[in-house]
Amino acid sequence: MTLPQFDGVDSILDTLLMEAEKRSFAYQEFLYKLFKHEVKMRDEKSIERRLKQAAFP
């Protein structure tokens, strides 16, 4: 079994940890924001990759 890769998390983790500490996030809220950012980053990469593959003039 392999663990999932969370490449987008690196860019926001420190900032989100500080925000969570200041605002006293519950674990669920912290994880929700973390995974929401990961999904957004994956969607953006997917769009970029598809546009590149399309090779529009």
Side-chain angles (χ1 to χ4, degrees):
M1 183 170 134
T2 61
L3 295 175
Q5 298 289 323
F6 296 110
D7 298 328
V9 170
D10 292 341
S11 64
I12 195 175
L13 185 59
D14 292 333
T15 305
L16 189 56
L17 283 169
M18 286 189 291
E19 182 182 357
E21 187 174 344
K22 286 180 184 177
R23 295 184 178 187
S24 301
F25 285 171
Y27 290 112
Q28 295 90 346
E29 186 174 0
F30 174 77
L31 289 173
Y32 172 77
K33 289 179 180 272
L34 192 65
F35 291 133
K36 183 178 175 184
H37 179 75
E38 177 67 24
V39 168
K40 180 181 173 189
M41 296 302 294
R42 287 183 183 204
D43 287 346
E44 288 175 7
K45 281 185 180 182
S46 176
I47 291 169
E48 287 176 16
R49 185 175 54 251
R50 288 178 184 161
L51 285 172
K52 188 176 181 179
Q53 287 175 346
F56 291 122

